[in-house]
Amino acid sequence: MFLPVSSYSENIVALLEYVASKERGAKVALVVNPSPFGRDPVVDARKAAARLGLKITDVQEVGGNNLDNTALLKRLEAQGVKYVINQNTAGPVANILKDAKRLNLLGKMQFLGAHYTGGEDLTKLAGDAAKDFIWATSYYMFDEGDRPGIQLVKRIGAQNGRKADTIRSVHYTSGMLAAAIAIEAMKRGGRDISAASVYKGLTSMNGSRSFNPGFTVGPVTFSAKDHVGAESLRLLQADATGNFKAITGAQRSRMFQLVHPLK
């Protein structure tokens, strides 16, 4: 499997590194989707937290049908949790944020999340409860229109009559990158397209031949051993208007490389 960008696990570990930089020994809870998608990063998160001196007090599974998260939030409050890291989709996270606002826990707890939790998909659902949410993603935002990938997103979205909310979603950009990687791999693999030629095209994307269509904060690079494309990510934070602004530059998680080394 070739990943277009850094994995959910790397997102979570990068968020744990951020927490450790703010407060050594902090109590952290993981709130994850009740599926392999949600659970998979937990192993790496536990390893990283132990190395970073953080205490994961709880791992809770929350799906889209959790419309009242009072019991969950009160449980975390009683444990002294200050940081809640989400590995989920925007819907369940929005419900948690709205309940946290109702319970006056925003500000007492810092909420953070990996790729599918944030962006305008979250702020549309959570409203002002999303303020200060910290999000890890490898993609540029719609408002960063000086990036060639974002310019292409806007142009193709307009040409095909996509709704504004669709074009603005980071997931539209994500789909564009996946398509761009596949097309580039086929072009590089030669005229006779096959599984072998596409593999050859993918693994040629490194060094001076890395691929950078401008959708992500770093280039796409693959090799026979490294199957992660755009390995850099940024942390962004929602402002009072619901827009996510970068609070770090492009980076790789050093801790992730320690707890999840290439095989």
Side-chain angles (χ1 to χ4, degrees):
M1 177 180 288
F2 288 82
L3 300 179
V5 294
S6 57
S7 67
Y8 305 129
S9 288
E10 186 159 359
N11 288 179
I12 297 296
V13 174
L15 291 167
L16 287 167
E17 286 177 300
Y18 174 82
V19 170
S21 74
K22 296 297 181 182
E23 185 177 349
R24 191 79 174 177
K27 292 183 178 179
V28 181
L30 303 180
V31 179
V32 305
N33 192 269
S35 67
F37 151 71
R39 298 173 188 129
D40 191 64
V42 172
V43 173
D44 286 336
R46 288 191 185 280
K47 293 177 183 176
R51 286 174 175 251
L52 291 166
L54 300 173
K55 183 178 181 181
I56 294 180
T57 65
D58 213 337
V59 178
Q60 290 289 313
E61 295 189 358
V62 173
N65 59 344
N66 286 55
L67 301 180
D68 187 344
N69 298 281
T70 301
L72 166 70
L73 291 166
K74 288 292 188 181
R75 173 189 175 101
L76 301 184
E77 182 184 26
Q79 293 171 353
V81 168
K82 290 187 65 177
Y83 299 89
V84 181
I85 298 181
N86 296 267
Q87 165 58 9
N88 216 315
T89 56
V93 177
N95 290 337
I96 290 172
L97 292 176
K98 288 186 287 187
D99 285 340
K101 179 183 177 182
R102 173 175 54 81
L103 296 168
N104 295 315
L105 292 175
L106 294 180
K108 298 177 183 178
M109 294 180 182
Q110 173 67 61
F111 293 85
L112 315 89
H115 173 68
Y116 273 102
T117 62
E120 294 193 19
D121 298 80
L122 177 67
T123 53
K124 281 188 300 183
L125 296 170
D128 61 1
K131 181 179 179 295
D132 293 329
F133 186 86
I134 295 174
W135 178 43
T137 186
S138 296
Y139 292 97
Y140 286 121
M141 300 295 99
F142 180 88
D143 292 329
E144 296 178 285
D146 58 329
R147 310 298 178 176
I150 299 302
Q151 292 173 13
L152 185 61
V153 164
K154 293 178 178 181
R155 185 163 69 251
I156 290 181
Q159 288 173 349
N160 289 278
R162 303 300 184 214
K163 295 179 180 178
D165 285 351
T166 299
I167 302 171
R168 294 186 68 91
S169 171
V170 71
H171 306 311
Y172 194 75
T173 307
S174 173
M176 294 275 282
L177 175 63
I181 291 172
I183 292 167
E184 181 68 12
M186 288 186 279
K187 288 166 62 178
R188 292 186 181 207
R191 296 182 62 182
D192 297 323
I193 297 173
S194 65
S197 70
V198 171
Y199 177 84
K200 178 182 177 182
L202 285 169
T203 54
S204 75
M205 296 180 189
N206 52 65
S208 63
R209 299 195 67 206
S210 62
F211 178 52
N212 193 355
F215 297 112
T216 56
V217 297
V220 172
T221 61
F222 293 117
S223 70
K225 188 176 181 180
D226 182 3
H227 288 189
V228 179
E231 295 170 319
S232 295
L233 56 83
R234 293 181 301 180
L235 301 188
L236 302 95
Q237 190 165 24
D239 62 19
T241 65
N243 293 320
F244 279 85
K245 305 296 183 183
I247 58 174
T248 72
Q251 62 186 43
R252 283 217 66 189
S253 168
R254 293 181 181 179
M255 182 56 65
F256 181 72
Q257 296 171 64
L258 294 176
V259 301
H260 196 112
L262 287 175
K263 296 180 180 179

